[in-house]
Amino acid sequence: MDLAYSERHQVFRSELQQFLKEHKDSAPKGRASIGKASDEAKQWQQLLIKHGYAARNIPKKYGGYGAEFDILESHIIAEEFSKSNVRPGHSGDERVVPVLLELGTEKQREELIAPTISGEMIWCQGYSEPGSGSDLASLSTKAVLDGDEWVINGQKIWTSGAQHADMCFCLVRTEPDAPKHQGISYLIFTMDRPGIEVRPLVTMTGEAIFNETFFTDTRVPKDGIVGKRGEGWFVANATLKHERGSLGDPNQTESRFRSLVELMKNETIDGTPLIKIPAYRDRLMRLQARMLTMKYNGMRILTAYLKKEEPGLPRWIVKLQGCELNHQIAALAIDAMGELGVLYEDSPYIRDAGMWQKSYMLDLGLIIGGGTAQIQKNMIGERALGLPKEPKYKQGA
Amino acid sequence: MEFALSEEQVMLQDSVSGYLKGNCSLDVVRQGVAGGITKQADVWQGICDLGILGIIIPGELGGVELGFLDAALIAEALGRAIAPVPFIGSCIMAPVALLNGGSEQQKETWLPKIASGEVVFGVGVTEQIARRETDGIQCSGGKLSGKAMFVVDGVDADMLIIADDSGAMHIVDANASGVTRRALQTIDKTRAVAEVVFDSVEADLLPGSQNDKEPLLKTIDAGRIMIAADSLGAAQVMIEQAVAYAQERKQFDRVIGSFQAVKHMCAEMASDLEPCRSLVWYTAHTVNDMPEETRMLACHAKAHLSEVGRSIAKIATEVHGGMGFTDLLGLHYWFKRVGLNRQLLGSPELVREEAALAQGW
């Protein structure tokens, strides 16, 4: 047990702290929006890349900073941005860029990664379908090769940002006779072609975060495939794994917990700060304990990665625990505010720009998305604890 | 940056667990507690031979002078084995009281005897957390009067450390005249807590604790961290037993662990407990390395492991169905160990309040 950082990492951290102090005013405020990046956001991203605080490990020739991957540096970057409440940069699209880097052709990498990192090129993910949610591998959107083009027919759902996207990375069934996991291919293509219809799907927050995306005889180039025909499931799994890791990030939870403490110190009932009111106070302390367990659990995972070990159970539980905890932090903020807690949108008296209600709803979306809580429990039960899978359902049994 | 156990720490825990596995089985525990024994002589001698009683005691005073994380690993192993031994009071809380509040002479007199297992200490500090069923302990003219409740390891103790109403701590001979001890029957037969009544009994003040509450608070912190570690070990066993049972027990031609209802119960238990391990490690580590963080974390570790421990004790029992409710399986020994841990040295709500105060909230 040695929680001290090396000299080199301490210097890295203090340089970053200095950078944040100097430049935080040029950072865009609030969360990144789902659609096109604003000019302000793009400039901020450029500044971060230049200093090595965004796209740090993406090679220079693809528009990144080009540093060797160092997990502690990544950790320090995440931690310091969260602590100072400054919007962090990104490494392009976290789902597709790692896939291109690992499995894309040189041509794909050269054309696609740089504009993605700079925020010029927006992607959407075509995975889930109305009939294939948790059982994603049963997806039925088809692509048939016709000369130099794939012809796609079918429907995707939950395609976040499809209405703004320039590009789509999409799972399609290309080998209808193969077993379900072996019949899928991973295609990338531009969204501006005939036969793609995007219908916004308004969520409970009132915003159209997602879409339904319909493909009718949509023709896309043959060389838009990543990996080989029928290997799409395995190509996609690299990204799914990545997404699951970032949902429930303890830095984000800690930052939200700090906002809750601020709220409870500042808001009062008859002059008494909420944090002094025993029932709310006890709930706050329960949440703090859970937040801390996840923070230290994160340190344990980080250490395992540093030692090139598989973290196992501590890693399996992050999405399940982290998303639920975030949800409960938002719930306490709402409860402690009483009637003020239900104010929304542009209401007078609204606190923190309505962030708590919106988070409470968005978190529910995250508990469901990226592998529902129930699917997470199946994975923990089966992969970490070794419990047997549910037997296959037999027709007529 | 390394948040992990060292090789030596893994070996330490393995050796303690290995010993207990071979020598402190459920049958051994059952036989002992049936006779009302809460300090099983063979097991006590066994862990004494492992040289771990002086885990936090300085080398020059006969101990092995390791850290609190090492001590927590031992407490966890003892919790796993529901070992009936007076470790937390005698080997952790009493040395912490002596090291922080004792005179040189007191340390030299008692710490080597604790490390060798020659003397067992009980520790009575509960009146300083929440006083119930007693008017407390008064000290006048070097003599103690009053009643201490729920003295940790008090039944098997040769000596006692008792906090009086001012928070000052005293060493008292547990067999001195004027001392009346009574074991309180609790749900957990593997450990004994005592009621001790003092009638003008000669006491040896720990001078450092006279006008400074810090030695007392550090003693309580230490006890809470070890209780949390004990619950961690006990709850882990309950999960393992539930998972093993779910893999073996068949209904409707399937092992019950293949039903999602049961599988999810197991997954929830594992996913609640695993981060607790990191909390216990981190908290124990702060005692030696970042003591300014310890108070708040000791409270959180104690309270959170109490909550998670209770929930696991309940769910693991349910996974076993009717068998979980019987004495036959013996699962209830762990259930009760966790149950006692929850109440000792402050129940969760009280301890969380202390965690809030420790942060100036």
Side-chain angles (χ1 to χ4, degrees):
Chain A
M1 194 68 73
D2 176 10
L3 304 184
Y5 283 79
S6 70
E7 181 74 28
R8 179 169 73 81
H9 288 111
Q10 286 178 39
V11 170
F12 182 80
R13 189 189 288 275
S14 60
E15 283 172 357
L16 172 53
Q17 286 168 341
Q18 189 58 33
F19 171 87
L20 287 169
K21 213 188 266 173
E22 276 169 33
H23 296 281
K24 71 195 263 180
D25 292 338
S26 39
K29 303 283 168 280
R31 293 178 195 229
S33 57
I34 272 184
K36 297 276 185 211
S38 64
D39 288 343
E40 190 194 18
K42 283 184 206 161
Q43 281 163 16
W44 177 240
Q45 171 76 356
Q46 276 314 317
L47 184 72
L48 294 180
I49 295 174
K50 193 176 133 206
H51 285 85
Y53 301 133
R56 183 172 175 81
N57 311 119
I58 310 278
K60 268 208 164 82
K61 62 175 170 176
Y62 306 134
Y65 180 77
E68 279 286 305
F69 178 66
D70 178 314
I71 195 167
L72 280 183
E73 289 176 354
S74 312
H75 176 73
I76 290 168
I77 292 173
E79 211 171 59
E80 292 300 325
F81 275 85
S82 163
K83 245 193 248 168
S84 53
N85 211 9
V86 173
R87 189 195 289 183
H90 55 83
S91 294
D93 188 301
E94 285 172 0
R95 303 160 301 180
V96 72
V97 168
V99 167
L100 293 174
L101 280 171
E102 206 174 307
L103 300 161
T105 63
E106 188 53 31
K107 184 165 174 284
Q108 288 167 339
R109 286 196 280 250
E110 277 171 7
E111 285 174 10
L112 302 171
I113 295 178
T116 303
I117 287 172
S118 69
E120 295 293 333
M121 183 181 276
I122 306 293
W123 291 79
C124 64
Q125 170 179 283
Y127 282 7
S128 297
E129 296 179 6
S132 303
S134 294
D135 181 15
L136 182 61
S138 70
L139 59 89
S140 62
T141 294
K142 269 191 315 203
V144 177
L145 202 54
D146 179 24
D148 276 349
E149 291 175 316
W150 294 102
V151 182
I152 306 176
N153 279 287
Q155 184 195 345
K156 294 291 176 181
I157 194 167
W158 318 124
T159 35
S160 326
Q163 70 272 49
H164 313 288
D166 307 295
M167 298 290 298
C168 180
F169 58 101
C170 192
L171 292 180
V172 290
R173 188 158 300 284
T174 53
E175 328 298 316
D177 300 327
K180 67 177 180 180
H181 291 90
Q182 287 151 33
I184 296 169
S185 296
Y186 187 105
L187 299 183
I188 50 180
F189 48 83
T190 59
M191 285 291 284
D192 60 355
R193 45 192 73 243
I196 299 181
E197 189 197 346
V198 176
R199 289 187 206 156
L201 198 59
V202 177
T203 68
M204 63 191 296
T205 67
E207 297 161 315
I209 302 170
F210 304 118
N211 299 277
E212 296 175 287
T213 304
F214 296 85
F215 299 96
T216 313
D217 294 330
T218 308
R219 303 186 80 90
V220 312
K222 182 184 172 187
D223 62 4
I225 192 165
V226 179
K228 297 203 178 81
R229 277 184 76 144
E231 286 182 358
W233 182 255
F234 308 97
V235 176
N237 259 328
T239 53
L240 266 186
K241 192 172 151 195
H242 198 90
E243 189 183 15
R244 218 163 268 145
S246 53
L247 289 175
D249 168 29
N251 277 313
Q252 199 210 336
T253 305
E254 189 176 9
S255 153
R256 187 182 295 190
F257 180 80
R258 276 197 298 265
S259 305
L260 173 60
V261 171
E262 280 313 299
L263 177 87
M264 289 180 61
K265 282 179 174 172
N266 295 330
E267 295 292 325
T268 58
I269 296 177
D270 291 335
T272 305
L274 300 178
I275 198 168
K276 298 282 187 196
I277 297 174
Y280 298 139
R281 183 178 171 88
D282 191 56
R283 278 176 65 184
L284 180 73
M285 298 315 293
R286 282 170 178 264
L287 292 173
Q288 185 179 38
R290 291 177 56 192
M291 181 274 285
L292 291 171
T293 63
M294 292 313 291
K295 179 178 173 171
Y296 306 138
N297 185 67
M299 292 166 68
R300 199 169 152 210
I301 295 170
L302 181 66
T303 300
Y305 284 139
L306 280 169
K307 294 178 160 179
K308 310 220 181 312
E309 291 167 1
E310 194 38 58
L313 190 54
R315 168 85 165 66
W316 285 110
I317 61 173
V318 170
K319 200 253 163 185
L320 179 65
Q321 288 284 346
C323 291
E324 180 61 32
L325 180 54
N326 289 343
H327 199 222
Q328 295 198 15
I329 291 173
L332 173 55
I334 292 166
D335 292 355
M337 282 190 284
E339 287 96 332
L340 291 174
V342 295
L343 298 178
Y344 201 49
E345 292 165 343
D346 301 318
S347 170
Y349 309 111
I350 200 159
R351 303 302 204 264
D352 296 330
M355 168 223 2
W356 294 107
Q357 279 291 0
K358 193 173 277 185
S359 295
Y360 183 73
M361 291 185 249
L362 282 174
D363 288 339
L364 184 51
L366 293 177
I367 287 171
I368 297 166
T372 64
Q374 289 65 37
I375 290 290
Q376 300 295 323
K377 288 176 195 173
N378 280 350
M379 292 196 309
I380 294 166
E382 289 160 19
R383 300 192 199 173
L385 302 179
L387 292 169
K389 277 183 180 297
E390 189 106 0
K392 293 262 182 290
Y393 172 73
K394 290 192 204 83
Q395 270 309 297
Chain B
M1 217 302 288
E2 181 171 334
F3 185 80
L5 302 181
S6 67
E7 263 177 53
E8 291 79 12
Q9 285 167 332
V10 173
M11 276 169 55
L12 170 71
Q13 194 173 37
D14 284 352
S15 73
V16 178
S17 287
Y19 168 77
L20 291 168
K21 204 172 174 191
N23 298 277
C24 186
S25 64
L26 177 59
D27 284 343
V28 170
V29 173
R30 260 188 210 279
Q31 280 166 21
V33 302
I37 293 169
T38 48
K39 180 187 157 214
Q40 200 120 15
D42 293 349
V43 179
W44 181 248
Q45 188 57 47
I47 64 168
C48 182
D49 293 344
L50 289 171
I52 56 175
L53 301 187
I55 190 79
I56 60 163
I57 292 173
E60 70 269 19
L61 294 172
V64 287
E65 203 169 352
L66 287 173
F68 267 70
L69 179 52
D70 306 276
L73 297 173
I74 295 169
E76 182 191 345
L78 294 170
R80 277 194 74 92
I82 47 170
V85 288
F87 178 77
I88 294 178
S90 192
C91 302
I92 303 296
M93 294 178 73
V96 169
L98 286 162
L99 287 166
N100 287 282
S103 66
E104 289 312 307
Q105 199 209 334
Q106 286 168 331
K107 291 181 210 173
E108 282 164 21
T109 306
W110 298 113
L111 290 173
K113 294 195 169 82
I114 292 174
S116 68
E118 186 188 334
V119 168
V120 168
F121 267 81
V123 180
V125 291
T126 227
E127 282 65 36
Q128 287 293 310
I129 301 167
R131 187 197 292 173
R132 302 172 209 257
E133 293 286 340
T134 163
D135 296 325
I137 309 281
Q138 294 79 42
C139 178
S140 130
K143 296 194 166 178
L144 290 187
S145 294
K147 183 162 74 171
M149 299 288 289
F150 303 105
V151 176
V152 179
D153 297 336
V155 175
D156 300 298
D158 307 298
M159 300 296 296
L160 301 167
I161 288 182
I162 300 293
D164 69 24
D165 285 355
S166 75
M169 294 185 284
H170 308 264
I171 304 172
V172 185
D173 182 343
N175 299 307
S177 75
V179 174
T180 314
R181 265 193 294 174
R182 175 157 74 132
L184 296 172
Q185 300 298 317
T186 76
I187 50 169
D188 179 12
K189 305 298 178 210
T190 66
R191 282 172 307 168
V193 290
E195 170 201 75
V196 187
V197 179
F198 302 92
D199 182 10
S200 196
V201 179
E202 201 75 45
D204 184 16
L205 172 74
L206 301 185
S209 71
Q210 190 164 25
N211 296 308
D212 181 2
K213 277 214 163 180
E214 213 38 43
L216 169 72
L217 296 176
K218 286 202 162 90
T219 304
I220 294 171
D221 291 343
R224 286 174 174 166
I225 297 169
M226 294 305 136
I227 288 173
D230 191 280
S231 286
L232 173 66
Q236 181 66 45
V237 170
M238 294 196 83
I239 296 177
E240 288 166 12
Q241 294 193 2
V243 169
Y245 188 80
Q247 280 169 325
E248 176 192 294
R249 164 80 176 164
K250 279 191 179 165
Q251 285 291 279
F252 305 103
D253 303 322
R254 293 160 59 175
V255 295
I256 60 169
S258 70
F259 290 104
Q260 289 192 348
V262 176
K263 184 183 294 174
H264 288 190
M265 289 162 97
C266 294
E268 282 161 17
M269 289 192 284
S271 118
D272 285 343
L273 190 66
E274 199 55 32
C276 291
R277 189 177 308 283
S278 301
L279 178 66
V280 169
W281 287 0
Y282 188 93
T283 303
H285 178 69
T286 64
V287 178
N288 299 100
D289 287 62
M290 295 170 279
E292 66 285 356
E293 290 189 39
T294 300
R295 177 109 347 111
M296 182 267 275
L297 286 167
C299 293
H300 270 320
K302 167 71 172 66
H304 190 59
L305 266 297
S306 299
E307 302 291 8
V308 173
R310 168 181 275 182
S311 156
I312 289 172
K314 170 174 184 277
I315 298 172
T317 305
E318 284 184 80
V319 169
H320 284 81
M323 288 306 288
F325 185 61
T326 66
D327 179 53
L328 217 58
L329 277 187
L331 196 66
H332 65 92
Y333 283 98
W334 283 268
F335 183 103
K336 292 168 180 170
R337 182 105 171 181
V338 167
L340 176 67
N341 284 346
R342 183 179 168 100
Q343 309 305 123
L344 280 182
L345 302 184
S347 55
E349 291 77 9
L350 295 182
V351 179
R352 281 195 290 270
E353 175 59 23
E354 287 186 43
L357 292 172
Q359 298 170 81
W361 289 352

